[in-house]
């Protein structure tokens, strides 16, 4: 191997190591969330679903790889290897095309650098680029024009399953231009490729007839967003909050991750999670006035079909032990994902249905998870829990309350839930949410009625926020 190539490969290796170290350090929770938002099962139905979501094979393979993203180290390594393969193949293509102009082959570093910086978390798009370079290398490696023509034409229907149409158009153009010595042949091949690009989707129309035109022909399948952008940083921040809340690490969330201080400074993304953590720790009525909150709307998102709202509302009701409503928001979150379902949603619905005693539902979702590659321990563990729950014959929590959750203003809903779940260990949190809501409204009459009616502070000193409110009440 020539010295020039050795230096190039060392530079590519350094680039891969920098990528792994930086992304693991800065975005570990983004990788973990990517696994949770993913879905892959080895079934015929799932493959047929992928056939209707172009490019079929690339999306299927990307979902397969993202199953292993639960470990940020594995996730970063997978993406670094893909970027490295793109760099190696691009370098080989340029060596063949440029001949003696070896100095220009350093341009092969640009694709992995740009993809790593602008499309960091778009695994499907990175795979599209890998298949693009691989097909181009196969084409330029052929010597005979006839073989090149055949390869170029076969690349269109094959590429239709591997990459989006804009990239496939670029591949066809680059292949034609690589025959620069034979201009007539280049034009003829380009025209033949253009005809195939128009015909192939029509032949596939039974699968993609319902897909909007722009998604078939103009959509790239990714957003070109810089790795260091505020969007990615804010996304990592929220995902960290969600992951810590899922694990019940409330003290870490409040203090170690500085969520409390951020919330006190008025950072909107932190305020709701700080208040939720205070509720989970039982310190909400003590520390309520430490936060810049003026009404109860910041305790909970209004019912919206959005990622952030569904995630937070699920955690809110999970904290209160209202598992049927936590199940509802988990299901909604899964429906918002590109596959219409996701691993995190399925795992959560299994756990919540077990808590409710709805073993039929939990077993149904466990059967789905058993067809994936990385849920063997989870499935076996939950089946053991189900068997233990069945053997105890304990009375399960009713599946539904006596009203639609969210059908009343927050304080009324909390008081109704507190009456319904009288034996729940989370009942005090429900009552505190109601009393805190009346405090924030300045409604002293209802504040006093709720405090006396439930009497959750019998023989105890009232929390600081409650005492201060009553001291100011004439």
């Amino acid at each position: 191997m020539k010295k020039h190539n050795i230096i190039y490969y060392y530079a590519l290796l350094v680039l891969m190591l920098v990528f792994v170290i930086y992304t693991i350090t800065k975005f570990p929770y983004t990788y973990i969330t990517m696994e949770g938002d993913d879905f892959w099962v080895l079934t015929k139905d799932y493959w047929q679903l992928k056939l209707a979501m172009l490019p079929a094979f690339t999306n299927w393979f990307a979902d397969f790889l993202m199953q292993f993203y639960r470990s940020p180290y594995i996730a970063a390594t997978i993406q670094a290897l893909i970027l490295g393969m793109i760099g190696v193949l691009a370098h080989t293509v340029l060596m063949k095309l440029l001949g003696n102009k070896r100095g220009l082959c350093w341009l092969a570093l640009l694709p992995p650098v740009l993809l790593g910086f602008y499309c960091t978390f778009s695994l499907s798009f990175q795979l599209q680029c890998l298949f693009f370079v691989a097909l181009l290398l196969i084409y330029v490696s052929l010597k005979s024009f006839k073989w090149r023509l055949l390869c170029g034409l076969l690349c269109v229907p094959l590429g239709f399953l591997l990459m989006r149409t804009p990239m496939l158009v670029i591949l066809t153009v680059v292949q034609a231009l690589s025959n620069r010595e034979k201009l007539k042949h280049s034009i003829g091949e380009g025209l033949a490729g253009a005809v195939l690009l128009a015909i192939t989707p029509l032949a596939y129309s039974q699968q993609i007839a319902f897909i909007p035109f722009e998604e078939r022909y103009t959509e790239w399948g990714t957003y070109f967003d810089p790795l260091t952008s505020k969007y990615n940083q804010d996304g990592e921040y929220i995902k960290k909050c969600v992951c810590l809340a899922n694990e019940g690490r409330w003290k870490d969330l409040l203090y170690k991750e500085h969520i409390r201080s951020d919330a006190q400074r008025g950072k909107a993304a932190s305020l709701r999670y700080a208040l939720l953590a205070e509720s989970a720790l039982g310190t909400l009525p003590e520390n309520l006035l430490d936060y810049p909150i003026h009404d109860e709307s910041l305790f909970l998102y209004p019912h919206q079909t959005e990622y952030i709202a569904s995630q937070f509302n699920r955690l809110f009701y999970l904290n209160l032990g209202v598992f049927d409503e936590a199940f509802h928001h988990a299901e909604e979150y899964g429906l918002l994902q590109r596959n219409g379902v996701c691993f995190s949603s399925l795992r959560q619905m299994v756990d919540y249905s077990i808590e409710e005693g709805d073993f039929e539902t939990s077993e149904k979702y466990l059967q789905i998870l058993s067809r994936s590659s990385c849920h063997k321990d989870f499935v076996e563990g939950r089946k053991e829990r189900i068997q233990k729950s069945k053997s105890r014959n304990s009375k399960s929590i009713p599946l539904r309350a006596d009203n639609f959750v969210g059908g009343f203003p927050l304080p009324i809903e909390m008081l109704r839930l507190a009456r319904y779940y009288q034996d729940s260990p989370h009942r005090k949190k429900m009552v505190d949410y109601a009393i805190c809501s009346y405090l924030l409204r300045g409604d002293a009459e209802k504040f006093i009625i709720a405090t006396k009616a439930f009497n959750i502070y019998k023989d105890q000193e009232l929390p600081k926020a409650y005492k201060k409110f009553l001291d100011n009440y004439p």
Side-chain angles (χ1 to χ4, degrees), residues 29-41 46 49-50 53 59 62-70 121 123 231 235-236 238-240 242-243 246 306-308 310-311 314 329-348 369 375:
Y29 292 99
T30 298
Y31 280 135
I32 293 171
T33 303
M34 287 175 70
E35 183 276 335
D37 292 348
D38 180 44
F39 180 70
W40 186 93
V41 287
Y46 180 72
L49 173 67
K50 291 289 104 176
M53 300 170 66
N59 286 333
D63 285 337
F64 171 79
L65 291 177
M66 277 193 283
Q67 292 180 105
F68 308 98
Y69 273 36
R70 192 177 298 187
F121 306 113
L123 178 60
Y231 175 82
E236 172 70 11
I238 293 295
K239 287 158 188 167
K240 179 190 293 185
V242 173
C243 288
N246 277 328
E306 295 179 1
Y307 296 107
I308 295 176
S310 293
Q311 280 277 40
R314 175 184 61 80
H329 287 287
E331 185 175 33
E332 278 196 348
Y333 183 81
L335 290 171
L336 291 171
Q337 305 306 318
R338 66 183 182 280
N339 290 309
V341 67
C342 65
F343 284 139
S344 63
S345 174
L346 287 170
R347 292 192 292 259
Q348 290 154 10
L369 287 170
H375 283 88

Side-chain angles (χ1 to χ4, degrees), residues 55-106:
F57 177 78
T58 302
N59 286 333
W60 182 89
F61 188 49
D63 285 337
F64 171 79
L65 291 177
M66 277 193 283
Q67 292 180 105
F68 308 98
Y69 273 36
R70 192 177 298 187
S71 166
Y73 298 95
I74 294 177
T77 301
I78 288 173
Q79 294 204 219
L81 288 173
I82 292 172
L83 295 176
M85 285 189 285
I86 290 172
V88 170
L89 294 177
H91 182 261
T92 307
V93 169
L94 287 178
M95 292 278 286
K96 290 183 174 294
L97 290 178
L98 297 176
N100 295 327
K101 300 176 182 178
R102 299 296 173 86
L104 294 177
C105 290
W106 283 91

Side-chain angles (χ1 to χ4, degrees), residues 54 58 65 70 79 97 139 165 264 273 290 298 304 384 402 423 471:
L54 304 178
T58 302
L65 291 177
R70 192 177 298 187
Q79 294 204 219
L97 290 178
Y139 180 87
T165 308
Q264 289 172 338
Y273 279 96
D290 294 344
L298 288 173
Q304 300 170 344
E384 289 179 8
D402 61 345
D423 300 325
D471 289 344

Side-chain angles (χ1 to χ4, degrees), residues 167-287:
M167 194 174 293
L168 190 53
V169 171
I170 294 174
L171 175 64
T172 303
V173 171
V174 172
Q175 287 176 340
L177 292 178
S178 65
N179 297 315
R180 56 186 181 276
E181 298 88 357
K182 300 179 180 179
L183 183 60
K184 291 183 179 179
H185 291 166
S186 297
I187 295 174
E189 184 177 342
L191 290 174
V195 171
L196 271 179
L197 281 169
I199 292 176
T200 303
L202 298 177
Y204 198 66
S205 62
Q206 292 300 313
Q207 293 290 340
I208 67 167
F210 61 92
I211 300 177
F213 176 85
E214 63 274 8
E215 290 188 20
R216 291 192 222 174
Y217 294 103
T218 64
E219 180 65 47
W220 286 91
T222 188
Y223 294 102
F224 299 95
D225 192 62
L227 179 60
T228 54
S229 69
K230 189 174 184 298
Y231 175 82
N232 284 330
Q233 293 171 359
D234 289 346
E236 172 70 11
Y237 185 84
I238 293 295
K239 287 158 188 167
K240 179 190 293 185
C241 292
V242 173
C243 288
L244 292 177
N246 277 328
E247 296 169 9
R249 294 167 57 186
W250 300 110
K251 288 186 178 179
D252 287 348
L253 180 65
L254 269 180
Y255 302 108
K256 186 177 178 180
E257 301 299 337
H258 310 295
I259 300 297
R260 190 174 197 271
S261 56
D262 289 342
Q264 289 172 338
R265 290 195 298 268
K267 187 171 181 179
S270 304
L271 187 53
R272 280 192 168 94
Y273 279 96
L275 294 169
L276 179 61
E278 295 281 9
S279 172
L281 294 170
T283 55
L284 179 63
E286 186 70 24
N287 301 326

